[in-house]
Amino acid sequence: PIPAAGQAGPAPRRATVGVDVGGVTVGGGAAVVVQSMTNTDTADVDATVAQVAALHRAGSELVRITVDRDESAAAVPRIRERLERVGVFVPLIGDFHYIGHKLLADHPACAEALAKYRINPGNVGFKEKKDRQFGAIIETAIRYDKPVRIGVNWGSLDQELLTRLMDDNQANGFPMTADAVTREAIIQSALFSAELAEEIGLPRSKIILSAKVSRVQDLIAVYRDLAERSNHALHLGLTEAGMGTKGIVASSAAMGILLQQGIGDTIRISLTPEPGGDRTREVQVAQELLQTMGFRQFVPIVAACPGCGRTTSTVFQELAEKIQADLRKNMPVWKTKYPGVEELKVAVMGCIVNGPGESKHADIGISLPGTGETPAAPIYIDGKKAATLRGANIAAEFEAMVASYIEQ
Ligand code: SF4
């Protein structure tokens, strides 16, 4: 829906049944939750503990880990314990494929240590084993009082269901395109599995759904349909989003549109890491998406101009980046000392054209001198000119003023 003229802001959040995941509420009107996933071998306890802790410290409110074999299932309680010893209490989600029913049955300490189980209905079992093995995981979830995410992915879609829908489509003279049938199969797989879980006895307040695809328009279409056809809490994610800017842009475009329409209770940005890249980048992107859209506030906003031919130096861009990095680094401590500090707005601008105006809109802002301008940088605090900086130490002096403003 397009907002009426003069109106701004997203559509009201879709009403969903809230799910408690180890103390973090997903859906039911709660703020959209940021989650991420490790890429370590879960059986490697040291590496997994380090990465979960890093993801959590970066802001991930839930962290998913792969549980693919006995060794990784056995490692899960040790990971949980080691994290708690270093003060990291982030809920852990176990990602199960193919043999989740068996791993959960054989490793009760793993079943207990996890805050949620992710089940993929496309590979939980085939033919007559499918419902039985799916049912076994649901019964474990009931026994340990854990929620589940029924996570459909078009890369591992239930082939029996897809074939049946394709056959029906053919028998009816192809009223739907093949892509539309695939999307319908994804949605039905999620909804039928949720229905089955509820029949077995898992309440809706323990079920989250996801239906991930890798194309932006398909993702939007699938989630809009899913949101219309159920009130389950929804996990959003564009699967195989890709590397670098492509992954960020594709995920932001797809999820931004859905969130604007009130759809989505938790998000994960799936970025393919660059070799040696920082896994926490996906958390930062998820936070920035939610923050730039006005859904949540994690770190102070730094408004910086892009720079142009009116400025010959990159001082202001370097300063903007440094201020943003310092604020992010100090935020965990500042948040405990200065409640509401994440609402701060800082402006770092490159010349007189938009500098003073943008700075006045911020809590604290600097307008650096552009080419040919008087070498002076006016500082604005709470909308009023508060000082003028000159000389070679403008950047350091402004940083000190930001820190002092936060303390005051
Ligand atoms: Fe260019 Fe000045 Fe605008 Fe920055 S504020 S983009 S330096 S005109």
Side-chain angles (χ1 to χ4, degrees):
I2 298 169
Q7 285 184 351
R13 290 278 301 282
R14 166 181 161 266
T16 57
V17 178
V19 179
D20 181 338
V21 182
V24 175
T25 305
V26 175
V32 180
V33 170
V34 170
Q35 62 174 291
S36 59
M37 184 173 184
T38 57
N39 63 352
T40 54
D41 175 1
T42 304
D44 182 343
V45 174
D46 288 349
T48 305
V49 166
Q51 198 174 76
V52 170
L55 289 165
H56 180 57
R57 286 185 186 124
S60 188
E61 293 157 310
L62 302 171
V63 178
R64 183 157 46 112
I65 58 177
T66 296
V67 188
D68 58 343
R69 61 192 198 278
D70 284 312
E71 290 81 355
S72 46
V76 170
R78 286 159 53 212
I79 292 167
R80 175 75 278 157
E81 198 188 305
R82 287 267 304 276
L83 285 167
E84 288 179 7
R85 242 190 279 152
V86 293
V88 175
F89 295 91
V90 64
L92 293 178
I93 300 158
D95 198 58
F96 293 97
H97 299 273
Y98 309 108
I99 54 169
H101 59 289
K102 193 171 176 320
L103 292 173
L104 285 166
D106 293 348
H107 298 273
C110 167
E112 180 57 55
L114 292 169
K116 185 176 75 173
Y117 313 146
R118 182 270 168 114
I119 318 173
N120 181 342
N123 62 26
V124 74
F126 300 99
K127 299 199 183 300
E128 68 284 352
K129 285 186 182 162
K130 189 166 72 180
D131 287 358
R132 184 156 34 90
Q133 293 177 174
F134 178 83
I137 299 180
I138 298 299
E139 275 160 16
T140 306
I142 294 168
R143 190 170 333 121
Y144 289 93
D145 196 24
K146 307 286 182 181
V148 301
R149 169 161 68 95
I150 295 171
V152 181
N153 190 308
W154 80 349
S156 48
L157 185 55
D158 181 336
Q159 291 304 306
E160 290 169 66
L161 174 62
L162 180 61
T163 306
R164 199 173 71 236
L165 292 184
M166 288 286 184
D167 289 348
D168 289 351
N169 193 46
Q170 186 178 15
N172 291 324
F174 296 106
M176 294 163 82
T177 63
D179 278 354
V181 177
T182 306
R183 290 196 298 270
E184 180 60 22
I186 292 167
I187 294 163
Q188 287 196 14
S189 177
L191 293 177
F192 288 169
S193 304
E195 217 175 285
L196 180 57
E198 287 186 54
E199 273 168 23
I200 295 168
L202 192 68
R204 194 163 289 204
S205 58
K206 295 274 183 198
I207 302 172
I208 296 172
L209 299 184
S210 68
K212 297 191 185 181
V213 299
S214 60
R215 290 199 303 236
V216 170
Q217 295 297 349
D218 284 314
L219 192 89
I220 295 166
V222 162
Y223 272 94
R224 279 165 72 165
D225 271 10
L226 197 53
E228 266 183 27
R229 290 158 66 173
S230 86
N231 66 351
H232 287 94
L234 294 181
H235 163 128
L236 299 189
L238 185 75
T239 193
E240 285 90 51
M243 295 178 72
T245 50
K246 188 259 172 190
I248 294 171
V249 171
S251 293
S252 304
M255 285 186 244
I257 287 167
L258 289 166
L259 289 165
Q260 183 73 4
Q261 295 178 358
I263 298 168
D265 300 297
T266 175
I267 64 169
R268 183 203 169 199
I269 305 279
S270 311
L271 298 179
T272 308
E274 318 270 336
D278 183 359
R279 190 70 173 175
T280 61
R281 188 150 170 72
E282 67 174 57
V283 178
Q284 192 182 330
V285 173
Q287 285 191 334
E288 281 175 5
L289 174 62
L290 293 175
Q291 177 153 336
T292 52
M293 293 192 71
F295 290 108
R296 293 188 65 181
Q297 194 81 33
F298 298 98
V299 287
I301 291 174
V302 177
C305 78
C308 69
R310 292 185 64 88
T311 176
T312 52
S313 103
T314 55
V315 171
F316 75 98
Q317 285 157 319
E318 285 164 10
L319 180 62
E321 264 186 48
K322 187 153 187 321
I323 295 263
Q324 181 80 76
D326 287 352
L327 290 171
R328 193 173 276 283
K329 193 176 93 205
N330 290 322
M331 211 32 52
V333 176
W334 281 349
K335 266 187 178 169
T336 60
K337 284 166 78 177
Y338 314 118
V341 66
E342 67 274 15
E343 310 270 332
L344 187 77
K345 290 185 186 65
V346 182
V348 180
M349 301 293 292
C351 86
I352 203 168
V353 173
N354 291 320
E358 190 67 43
S359 298
K360 281 182 201 164
H361 287 302
D363 294 307
I364 178 164
I366 184 169
S367 177
L368 288 154
T371 315
E373 293 175 18
T374 311
I379 307 295
Y380 293 81
I381 293 180
D382 298 332
K384 293 192 186 68
K385 191 167 164 188
T388 302
L389 300 181
R390 290 188 174 80
N393 294 324
I394 286 179
E397 285 172 32
F398 180 61
E399 281 191 87
M401 289 181 83
V402 172
S404 153
Y405 179 82
I406 287 170
E407 277 164 30
Q408 283 167 32

PDB file of all heavy atoms in Angstrom, residues 98 120 122-123 152-159 182 186 212-214 239-240:
ATOM      1  N   TYR A  98      17.839 -33.384   7.495  1.00  0.00           N
ATOM      2  CA  TYR A  98      17.911 -34.843   7.267  1.00  0.00           C
ATOM      3  C   TYR A  98      17.740 -35.684   8.547  1.00  0.00           C
ATOM      4  O   TYR A  98      16.870 -36.547   8.602  1.00  0.00           O
ATOM      5  CB  TYR A  98      19.224 -35.252   6.559  1.00  0.00           C
ATOM      6  CG  TYR A  98      19.503 -34.453   5.316  1.00  0.00           C
ATOM      7  CD1 TYR A  98      20.523 -33.502   5.287  1.00  0.00           C
ATOM      8  CD2 TYR A  98      18.732 -34.625   4.162  1.00  0.00           C
ATOM      9  CE1 TYR A  98      20.770 -32.753   4.148  1.00  0.00           C
ATOM     10  CE2 TYR A  98      18.981 -33.879   3.018  1.00  0.00           C
ATOM     11  CZ  TYR A  98      19.999 -32.945   3.017  1.00  0.00           C
ATOM     12  OH  TYR A  98      20.231 -32.200   1.889  1.00  0.00           O
ATOM     13  N   ASN A 120      13.673 -28.211   8.450  1.00  0.00           N
ATOM     14  CA  ASN A 120      13.441 -27.979   7.026  1.00  0.00           C
ATOM     15  C   ASN A 120      12.491 -29.074   6.533  1.00  0.00           C
ATOM     16  O   ASN A 120      12.902 -30.229   6.398  1.00  0.00           O
ATOM     17  CB  ASN A 120      14.775 -28.047   6.274  1.00  0.00           C
ATOM     18  CG  ASN A 120      14.617 -27.786   4.792  1.00  0.00           C
ATOM     19  OD1 ASN A 120      13.512 -27.882   4.245  1.00  0.00           O
ATOM     20  ND2 ASN A 120      15.720 -27.464   4.133  1.00  0.00           N
ATOM     21  N   GLY A 122      11.499 -29.834   3.778  1.00  0.00           N
ATOM     22  CA  GLY A 122      11.877 -30.407   2.487  1.00  0.00           C
ATOM     23  C   GLY A 122      12.853 -31.561   2.610  1.00  0.00           C
ATOM     24  O   GLY A 122      13.033 -32.322   1.657  1.00  0.00           O
ATOM     25  N   ASN A 123      13.513 -31.683   3.761  1.00  0.00           N
ATOM     26  CA  ASN A 123      14.476 -32.782   3.872  1.00  0.00           C
ATOM     27  C   ASN A 123      14.404 -33.517   5.211  1.00  0.00           C
ATOM     28  O   ASN A 123      15.350 -34.184   5.609  1.00  0.00           O
ATOM     29  CB  ASN A 123      15.908 -32.286   3.591  1.00  0.00           C
ATOM     30  CG  ASN A 123      16.373 -31.238   4.591  1.00  0.00           C
ATOM     31  OD1 ASN A 123      15.913 -31.186   5.715  1.00  0.00           O
ATOM     32  ND2 ASN A 123      17.302 -30.404   4.170  1.00  0.00           N
ATOM     33  N   VAL A 152      11.198 -23.334   5.270  1.00  0.00           N
ATOM     34  CA  VAL A 152      11.188 -23.866   3.901  1.00  0.00           C
ATOM     35  C   VAL A 152      12.206 -23.078   3.081  1.00  0.00           C
ATOM     36  O   VAL A 152      12.370 -21.877   3.277  1.00  0.00           O
ATOM     37  CB  VAL A 152       9.777 -23.717   3.268  1.00  0.00           C
ATOM     38  CG1 VAL A 152       9.753 -24.287   1.865  1.00  0.00           C
ATOM     39  CG2 VAL A 152       8.734 -24.372   4.142  1.00  0.00           C
ATOM     40  N   ASN A 153      12.885 -23.784   2.203  1.00  0.00           N
ATOM     41  CA  ASN A 153      13.878 -23.131   1.350  1.00  0.00           C
ATOM     42  C   ASN A 153      13.704 -23.712  -0.050  1.00  0.00           C
ATOM     43  O   ASN A 153      13.617 -24.933  -0.196  1.00  0.00           O
ATOM     44  CB  ASN A 153      15.285 -23.432   1.898  1.00  0.00           C
ATOM     45  CG  ASN A 153      16.343 -22.597   1.223  1.00  0.00           C
ATOM     46  OD1 ASN A 153      16.431 -22.558   0.004  1.00  0.00           O
ATOM     47  ND2 ASN A 153      17.147 -21.927   2.019  1.00  0.00           N
ATOM     48  N   TRP A 154      13.671 -22.841  -1.052  1.00  0.00           N
ATOM     49  CA  TRP A 154      13.347 -23.404  -2.376  1.00  0.00           C
ATOM     50  C   TRP A 154      14.479 -24.245  -2.955  1.00  0.00           C
ATOM     51  O   TRP A 154      14.283 -24.961  -3.931  1.00  0.00           O
ATOM     52  CB  TRP A 154      12.812 -22.355  -3.332  1.00  0.00           C
ATOM     53  CG  TRP A 154      13.758 -21.444  -4.021  1.00  0.00           C
ATOM     54  CD1 TRP A 154      15.077 -21.259  -3.775  1.00  0.00           C
ATOM     55  CD2 TRP A 154      13.410 -20.576  -5.096  1.00  0.00           C
ATOM     56  NE1 TRP A 154      15.584 -20.321  -4.603  1.00  0.00           N
ATOM     57  CE2 TRP A 154      14.579 -19.881  -5.439  1.00  0.00           C
ATOM     58  CE3 TRP A 154      12.231 -20.308  -5.797  1.00  0.00           C
ATOM     59  CZ2 TRP A 154      14.592 -18.941  -6.453  1.00  0.00           C
ATOM     60  CZ3 TRP A 154      12.258 -19.376  -6.800  1.00  0.00           C
ATOM     61  CH2 TRP A 154      13.418 -18.711  -7.125  1.00  0.00           C
ATOM     62  N   GLY A 155      15.638 -24.167  -2.331  1.00  0.00           N
ATOM     63  CA  GLY A 155      16.728 -25.032  -2.768  1.00  0.00           C
ATOM     64  C   GLY A 155      16.564 -26.458  -2.264  1.00  0.00           C
ATOM     65  O   GLY A 155      17.245 -27.370  -2.738  1.00  0.00           O
ATOM     66  N   SER A 156      15.692 -26.639  -1.289  1.00  0.00           N
ATOM     67  CA  SER A 156      15.473 -27.984  -0.739  1.00  0.00           C
ATOM     68  C   SER A 156      13.974 -28.200  -0.513  1.00  0.00           C
ATOM     69  O   SER A 156      13.542 -28.689   0.525  1.00  0.00           O
ATOM     70  CB  SER A 156      16.244 -28.151   0.576  1.00  0.00           C
ATOM     71  OG  SER A 156      16.008 -27.048   1.430  1.00  0.00           O
ATOM     72  N   LEU A 157      13.220 -27.779  -1.502  1.00  0.00           N
ATOM     73  CA  LEU A 157      11.758 -27.852  -1.412  1.00  0.00           C
ATOM     74  C   LEU A 157      11.260 -29.292  -1.476  1.00  0.00           C
ATOM     75  O   LEU A 157      11.854 -30.127  -2.153  1.00  0.00           O
ATOM     76  CB  LEU A 157      11.172 -27.030  -2.568  1.00  0.00           C
ATOM     77  CG  LEU A 157       9.668 -26.840  -2.660  1.00  0.00           C
ATOM     78  CD1 LEU A 157       9.078 -26.257  -1.387  1.00  0.00           C
ATOM     79  CD2 LEU A 157       9.341 -25.935  -3.848  1.00  0.00           C
ATOM     80  N   ASP A 158      10.165 -29.555  -0.761  1.00  0.00           N
ATOM     81  CA  ASP A 158       9.508 -30.871  -0.762  1.00  0.00           C
ATOM     82  C   ASP A 158       9.134 -31.240  -2.213  1.00  0.00           C
ATOM     83  O   ASP A 158       8.206 -30.679  -2.800  1.00  0.00           O
ATOM     84  CB  ASP A 158       8.250 -30.757   0.123  1.00  0.00           C
ATOM     85  CG  ASP A 158       7.484 -32.065   0.225  1.00  0.00           C
ATOM     86  OD1 ASP A 158       7.615 -32.903  -0.680  1.00  0.00           O
ATOM     87  OD2 ASP A 158       6.743 -32.220   1.209  1.00  0.00           O
ATOM     88  N   GLN A 159       9.875 -32.185  -2.794  1.00  0.00           N
ATOM     89  CA  GLN A 159       9.700 -32.516  -4.214  1.00  0.00           C
ATOM     90  C   GLN A 159       8.378 -33.229  -4.490  1.00  0.00           C
ATOM     91  O   GLN A 159       7.800 -33.065  -5.570  1.00  0.00           O
ATOM     92  CB  GLN A 159      10.876 -33.365  -4.715  1.00  0.00           C
ATOM     93  CG  GLN A 159      12.191 -32.597  -4.787  1.00  0.00           C
ATOM     94  CD  GLN A 159      12.091 -31.333  -5.651  1.00  0.00           C
ATOM     95  OE1 GLN A 159      11.679 -31.386  -6.804  1.00  0.00           O
ATOM     96  NE2 GLN A 159      12.453 -30.191  -5.092  1.00  0.00           N
ATOM     97  N   THR A 182       5.826 -23.051  -8.043  1.00  0.00           N
ATOM     98  CA  THR A 182       6.904 -23.253  -7.057  1.00  0.00           C
ATOM     99  C   THR A 182       6.644 -22.417  -5.809  1.00  0.00           C
ATOM    100  O   THR A 182       6.781 -22.896  -4.679  1.00  0.00           O
ATOM    101  CB  THR A 182       8.276 -22.883  -7.668  1.00  0.00           C
ATOM    102  OG1 THR A 182       8.438 -23.618  -8.872  1.00  0.00           O
ATOM    103  CG2 THR A 182       9.405 -23.201  -6.722  1.00  0.00           C
ATOM    104  N   ILE A 186       6.060 -23.720  -1.943  1.00  0.00           N
ATOM    105  CA  ILE A 186       6.820 -23.220  -0.773  1.00  0.00           C
ATOM    106  C   ILE A 186       5.844 -22.840   0.344  1.00  0.00           C
ATOM    107  O   ILE A 186       6.002 -23.225   1.506  1.00  0.00           O
ATOM    108  CB  ILE A 186       7.683 -21.997  -1.185  1.00  0.00           C
ATOM    109  CG1 ILE A 186       8.797 -22.437  -2.135  1.00  0.00           C
ATOM    110  CG2 ILE A 186       8.244 -21.283   0.033  1.00  0.00           C
ATOM    111  CD1 ILE A 186       9.508 -21.285  -2.833  1.00  0.00           C
ATOM    112  N   LYS A 212      12.188 -19.154   2.373  1.00  0.00           N
ATOM    113  CA  LYS A 212      13.257 -18.380   1.733  1.00  0.00           C
ATOM    114  C   LYS A 212      13.486 -18.768   0.274  1.00  0.00           C
ATOM    115  O   LYS A 212      13.530 -19.951  -0.065  1.00  0.00           O
ATOM    116  CB  LYS A 212      14.545 -18.556   2.525  1.00  0.00           C
ATOM    117  CG  LYS A 212      14.442 -18.006   3.949  1.00  0.00           C
ATOM    118  CD  LYS A 212      15.786 -17.960   4.614  1.00  0.00           C
ATOM    119  CE  LYS A 212      15.669 -17.529   6.067  1.00  0.00           C
ATOM    120  NZ  LYS A 212      16.994 -17.452   6.705  1.00  0.00           N
ATOM    121  N   VAL A 213      13.643 -17.738  -0.517  1.00  0.00           N
ATOM    122  CA  VAL A 213      14.006 -17.908  -1.924  1.00  0.00           C
ATOM    123  C   VAL A 213      15.145 -16.927  -2.202  1.00  0.00           C
ATOM    124  O   VAL A 213      15.479 -16.103  -1.353  1.00  0.00           O
ATOM    125  CB  VAL A 213      12.803 -17.630  -2.859  1.00  0.00           C
ATOM    126  CG1 VAL A 213      11.670 -18.581  -2.584  1.00  0.00           C
ATOM    127  CG2 VAL A 213      12.326 -16.200  -2.725  1.00  0.00           C
ATOM    128  N   SER A 214      15.739 -16.997  -3.390  1.00  0.00           N
ATOM    129  CA  SER A 214      16.908 -16.154  -3.621  1.00  0.00           C
ATOM    130  C   SER A 214      16.652 -14.986  -4.568  1.00  0.00           C
ATOM    131  O   SER A 214      17.554 -14.207  -4.829  1.00  0.00           O
ATOM    132  CB  SER A 214      18.070 -17.013  -4.140  1.00  0.00           C
ATOM    133  OG  SER A 214      17.707 -17.623  -5.349  1.00  0.00           O
ATOM    134  N   THR A 239      17.544 -16.029   0.832  1.00  0.00           N
ATOM    135  CA  THR A 239      18.594 -17.050   0.867  1.00  0.00           C
ATOM    136  C   THR A 239      19.561 -16.839  -0.300  1.00  0.00           C
ATOM    137  O   THR A 239      19.182 -16.297  -1.348  1.00  0.00           O
ATOM    138  CB  THR A 239      17.959 -18.464   0.842  1.00  0.00           C
ATOM    139  OG1 THR A 239      18.958 -19.413   1.173  1.00  0.00           O
ATOM    140  CG2 THR A 239      17.357 -18.822  -0.505  1.00  0.00           C
ATOM    141  N   GLU A 240      20.798 -17.268  -0.099  1.00  0.00           N
ATOM    142  CA  GLU A 240      21.820 -17.100  -1.138  1.00  0.00           C
ATOM    143  C   GLU A 240      21.806 -15.681  -1.705  1.00  0.00           C
ATOM    144  O   GLU A 240      21.824 -15.468  -2.924  1.00  0.00           O
ATOM    145  CB  GLU A 240      21.604 -18.103  -2.291  1.00  0.00           C
ATOM    146  CG  GLU A 240      22.010 -19.516  -1.959  1.00  0.00           C
ATOM    147  CD  GLU A 240      20.890 -20.367  -1.340  1.00  0.00           C
ATOM    148  OE1 GLU A 240      19.802 -20.406  -1.904  1.00  0.00           O
ATOM    149  OE2 GLU A 240      21.136 -20.973  -0.295  1.00  0.00           O
TER     150      GLU A 240
END
